[in-house]
């Protein structure tokens, strides 16, 4: 139910996890997300440098576009688990507004399990894709860098997303049982 | 089953899963995967998914999305929104309804450096709502104006939804931004006009604030010029072709961060929070993109969009009727869904239909750009239409004592203004296209 | 009996020469020769999802049955066939395409495990286009920001003293009109389809008798398992419509596409110049190290690089003359 935006200030955020597993997953996702932010900042510096080089000295950074593409794909994959810990992956809750909290908790358990399964599947397939890229020795066009490392965070990102979704499912299951 | 039938079945499955509270991204991914396997087989599906995430996440045009989000979050945490509102209020506040108009104007200014509506609504809501209440604006007008003003975050470029439309429709991102600028400014003007009419019909709902003297006005302008400078650099640079949208976003983010640091309004905590907000918003968008990617690949395989297009073209309906029908579908969907998901779900089906019909003799590129701006406007109306309008919820959550019904009521004039502008854009495509032509 | 429908995927728009002059006629031909037992469903413009660089993997994995792509999009993956893209190698598209097919048969088969290539072709002579000045000698390229399509062409542009700028083809018109790049290397056909002739001032050509500055290699490849699964009579239809002759016919289509496209640039009043025979030597000298480096690179990977270059040169020359 959310458009393209940040979790807005003032909107209700899910409570911070109280148990050890949840705290551990949150810390890990947060670290992953901050690593991605550092990559984004590196992209900003690189692009600005390239634009200045192009405008002032006719010499853009060689292969800047390639580096931006790789850095952004690494960052985006690293962001996925954090969003799940913050409950930012979107659902349509309009149709179940009137449903009881217990039914909603059961549905949310199922949805989180589904997300966990899909994320694990994507992690497995993406790891295969990374392996293919490594095995065929594909390189980037201009810099000639090996491309496999551009896949480095993708499978781990989905893997951690699967774990965080499993955790959500467990929490929701608790809610569903408690609310009899 | 034929491909078209499977396509239709999976379309229904998406909707069923959505009703059952499955994540939007997963509803699309799952239906797409099942459909893909049914049409092409399991092995092709397994192979396709191998590099799907990398392929989608490394698209250069999409790199602009996290960067614009980071820029908006830095601006918000760095207090730039407050300065914008102080400046607009210094010039407009003393008219009747003027404080609300100032809020709309500040939303437009913030929208010029922020790519998202929710962030704009949340940020400006926090800044302007206390002022609106201090001058005793009616709760309906105050919350309605801010909810509507928030949509300017996306209507005024840069805009995340436009970037994604551009990638889907294979249009130039910079051209899409240019095409949205005049309609975005019209939206701002339309909202101000709505406020003016509202306070005329219901005097007392928007009293005038005291007039500010020129020294004070100059002072507020001195405080906002750096923001204006960032905006001019970013948007001017894109339109003038000095850099790509991605480079513009990178430069804008650097400049915004530097500004926030210079004014000492951005703490280390605020900086980390801006980064984390960016991470969560980006992840949310790109997970949906991934689901849409698989669903759309399956739709293409199933030939359903082509069949729908052929059926519509074969039915000999008038192009205008088809367009009105599409707009109505968006308005209905907008009552319950968010704008990005709507665009991702429908464009692969609607765009071929629109491209096959004749509208005002537009060439294919112009038509795709014009329809993109039109679709953007209509899906954004969904943010302020009851029952589910995300901007309404955000603003209402900031004003907890205002009943939701009041907010619904306050938003009506702005919905009317949106509909008038939509009709105008349908009838006069030149409103969005002339700037694209003038600058190319 | 149910006809077999081949999923044919490529990245061009449906209106491009590649679909209308090559794929559609090919599909019509195999349909006719197989009594409609073999048919195509064409997916232009990456409709099956993914990026152009993934097309070859889509063919290997069976996501598509037939793809048309550039082996050079996946740099480093098909070392053998890259030889065709070395500077100053081919004279025309038809002869170059015949040469490419022979090089594939002699050196390239192990690179393409998992697919059955139906054709290899090159485009006609690639030229230099820019907005700064007419290029008559190597030093004119100094400091120009030039867009090139593949790994080797980027190296070639750098060897000539320009700054290579990599970007996807769809971004090129915008980048040119806005000065993000000063110019680009392309064959004629592509230029008007992207409206590039409307935003380019100078066209500098290296013309016969020397080989052209560069070319790019394309392949039409079929999923191997799909081919193996065909009944013998349908295999025969594919065999009869693939290989040297099919490759040459695509080359012919490229050769034929150049004059009308060039004419559109002439009609705009753009400035043309031919780089003279004497100056071409300077270009050849400057780019010689691209070829030398390439030989070293592939020799290290276990190919006979030197023999491949010599063969590719000799074959291109032989077929260009025979034409
Ligand atoms: Na915006
Ligand atoms: Na709504």
């Amino acid at each position: 139910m959310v458009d393209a935006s940040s979790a807005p200030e003032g909107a209700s955020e899910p409570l911070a996890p109280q148990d050890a597993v949840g705290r551990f997953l949150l810390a890990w996702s947060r670290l992953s997300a901050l690593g991605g932010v550092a990559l984004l900042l590196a992209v900003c510096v690189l692009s600005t440098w390239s634009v200045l080089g192009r405008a002032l000295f006719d010499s853009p950074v060689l292969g800047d576009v390639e580096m931006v593409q790789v850095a952004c794909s690494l960052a985006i994959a690293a962001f996925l688990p954090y969003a799940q810990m913050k409950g930012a992956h979107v659902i349509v809750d309009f149709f179940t507004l009137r449903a009881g909290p217990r039914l909603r908790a059961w549905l949310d358990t199922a949805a989180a399990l589904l997300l966990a399964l899909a994320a694990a599947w994507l992690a497995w397939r993406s790891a295969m894709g990374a392996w293919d890229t490594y095995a065929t020795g594909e390189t980037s066009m201009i810099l000639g860098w090996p491309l496999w490392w551009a896949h480095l965070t993708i499978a781990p990102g989905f893997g951690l997303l699967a774990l965080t979704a499993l955790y959500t499912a467990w929490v929701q299951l608790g809610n569903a049982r408690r609310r009899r | 089953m034929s491909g078209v039938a499977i396509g239709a079945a999976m379309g229904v499955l998406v909707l069923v899963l959505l009703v059952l509270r499955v994540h939007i991204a997963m509803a699309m991914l799952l239906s797409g995967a099942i459909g893909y396997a049914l049409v092409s087989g399991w092995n092709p599906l397994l192979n396709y998914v191998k590099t799907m995430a990398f392929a989608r996440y490394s698209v250069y045009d999409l790199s602009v999305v996290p960067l614009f989000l980071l820029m908006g979050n830095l601006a918000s945490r760095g207090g730039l929104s407050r300065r914008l509102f102080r400046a607009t209020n210094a010039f407009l506040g003393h008219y009747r309804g003027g404080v609300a108009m100032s809020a709309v104007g500040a939303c437009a200014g913030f929208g010029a450096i922020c790519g998202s509506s929710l962030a704009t609504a949340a940020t400006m809501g926090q800044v302007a709502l206390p002022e609106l209440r201090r001058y005793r604006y009616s709760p309906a007008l105050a919350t309605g104006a801010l909810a509507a003003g928030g949509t300017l975050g996306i209507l005024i470029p840069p805009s995340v939804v436009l970037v994604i439309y551009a990638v889907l429709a294979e249009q130039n991102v910079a051209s899409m931004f240019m095409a949205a600028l005049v309609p975005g400014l019209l939206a701002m003007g339309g909202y101000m006009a709505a406020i003016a009419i509202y306070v005329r019909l219901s005097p007392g709902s928007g009293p005038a604030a005291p007039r500010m003297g020129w020294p004070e006005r100059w002072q507020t302008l001195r405080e906002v010029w750096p923001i204006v400078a960032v905006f001019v650099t970013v948007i001017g640079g894109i339109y003038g072709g000095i850099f790509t949208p991605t480079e513009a976003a990178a430069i804008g983010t650097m400049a915004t961060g530097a500004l926030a640091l210079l004014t000492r309004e951005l703490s280390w905590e605020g900086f980390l929070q801006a980064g984390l907000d960016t991470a969560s918003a980006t992840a949310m968008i790109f997970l949906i993109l991934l689901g849409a990617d698989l669903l759309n690949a399956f739709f293409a395989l199933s030939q359903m969009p082509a069949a729908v297009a052929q059926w519509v073209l074969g039915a000999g309906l008038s192009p205008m009727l088809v367009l009105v029908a599409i707009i109505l579908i968006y308005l209905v969907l907008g009552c319950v869904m968010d704008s990005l998901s709507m665009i991702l779900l429908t464009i692969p089906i609607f765009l071929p239909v629109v491209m096959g019909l004749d509208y005002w003799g537009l060439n294919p590129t112009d038509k795709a750009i014009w329809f993109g701006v039109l679709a953007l406007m209509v899906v954004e109306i969904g943010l302020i239409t009851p029952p589910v309008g995300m901007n309404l919820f955000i603003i209402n959550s900031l004003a907890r004592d205002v009943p939701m019904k009041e907010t619904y009521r306050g938003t009506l004039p702005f919905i009317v203004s949106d509909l008038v502008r939509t009709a105008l854009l349908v009838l006069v495509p030149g409103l969005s296209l002339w700037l694209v032509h003038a600058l190319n | 009996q149910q006809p077999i429908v081949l999923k044919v995927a490529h990245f061009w728009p449906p209106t491009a020469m590649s679909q209308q002059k090559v794929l559609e006629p090919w599909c019509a031909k195999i349909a006719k020769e197989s009594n409609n037992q073999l048919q195509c469903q064409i997916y232009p413009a990456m409709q099956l999802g993914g990026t152009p660089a993934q097309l070859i993997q889509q063919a290997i994995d069976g996501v598509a049955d037939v793809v048309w792509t550039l082996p050079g999009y996946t740099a480093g993956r098909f070392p053998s066939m890259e030889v065709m893209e070395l500077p100053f190698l081919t004279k025309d598209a038809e002869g170059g395409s015949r040469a490419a097919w022979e090089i594939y048969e002699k050196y390239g088969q192990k690179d393409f495990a998992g697919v059955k290539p139906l054709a290899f072709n090159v485009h006609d002579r690639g030229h230099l286009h820019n907005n700064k000045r007419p290029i008559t000698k190597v030093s004119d390229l100094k400091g120009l920001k030039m867009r090139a399509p593949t790994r080797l062409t980027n190296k070639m542009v750098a060897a000539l003293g320009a700054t290579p700028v990599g970007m996807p083809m769809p971004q090129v018109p915008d980048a040119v009109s806005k000065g993000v790049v000063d110019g680009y290397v392309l064959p004629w056909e592509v230029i008007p389809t992207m409206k590039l002739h409307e935003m380019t001032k100078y066209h500098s050509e290296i013309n016969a008798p020397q080989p052209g500055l560069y070319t790019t290699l394309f392949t039409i490849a079929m999923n191997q398992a799909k081919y193996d699964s065909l009944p013998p009579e349908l295999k025969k239809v594919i065999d009869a419509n693939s290989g040297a002759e099919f490759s040459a016919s695509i080359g012919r289509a490229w050769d034929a596409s150049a004059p009308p496209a060039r004419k559109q640039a002439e009609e705009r009043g753009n400035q043309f110049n031919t780089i003279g025979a004497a100056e071409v030597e300077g270009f050849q000298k400057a780019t010689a190290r691209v070829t030398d480096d390439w030989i070293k690179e592939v020799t290290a990977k276990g190919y006979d690089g030197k023999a491949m270059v010599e063969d590719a040169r000799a074959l291109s020359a032989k077929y260009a003359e025979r034409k």
Side-chain angles (χ1 to χ4, degrees), chain A residues 3 34 38-39 48 51 57 84 102 106 114 153 167 176-177:
Chain A
D3 89 332
L34 289 175
L39 276 172
T48 308
V51 168
F57 314 108
Q84 176 58 18
R102 204 171 143 230
W106 278 115
L114 203 63
T153 61
Y167 171 74
R177 290 217 169 131

Side-chain angles (χ1 to χ4, degrees), chain C residues 88 123-127 149 153 156 185-187 212-216:
Chain C
F88 296 104
H123 64 59
D124 53 299
R125 308 167 81 92
H127 300 294
T153 43
M156 172 188 81
V185 295
L186 274 183
L213 177 64
Y214 85 99
T215 191
T216 307

Side-chain angles (χ1 to χ4, degrees), chain B residues 1 10 23 43 56 59 67 83 113 134 146 175 207 271 289 298 314 332 356 358 361 363 367 385 395 403 413 440:
Chain B
M1 259 203 289
M10 292 306 125
H23 298 88
N43 261 330
R56 183 41 85 199
V59 172
L67 295 175
R83 293 153 174 253
I113 50 173
R134 189 152 70 93
L146 279 169
S175 297
F271 173 74
L289 272 176
F298 150 66
V332 170
D358 177 50
N363 70 40
K367 207 191 307 177
T385 50
I395 298 301
N440 276 340

Side-chain angles (χ1 to χ4, degrees), chain B residues 108 110-116 120 152-160:
Chain B
F110 194 72
I113 50 173
C114 175
S116 118
T120 305
L152 293 171
I154 270 204
L155 294 177
I156 303 243
S159 146
V160 168

Side-chain angles (χ1 to χ4, degrees), chain B residues 331 333-337 381-390 392:
Chain B
L331 288 175
L333 280 178
C335 289
V336 297
M337 265 183 93
I381 300 179
L383 286 176
I384 56 169
T385 50
V388 181
M390 206 51 214
L392 299 176

Side-chain angles (χ1 to χ4, degrees), chain A residues 92-116:
Chain A
V92 174
D93 56 4
F94 167 69
F95 299 99
T96 40
L97 280 178
R98 299 246 164 83
R102 204 171 143 230
L103 174 62
R104 270 189 292 183
W106 278 115
L107 288 175
D108 288 346
T109 309
L113 277 177
L114 203 63
L115 175 60

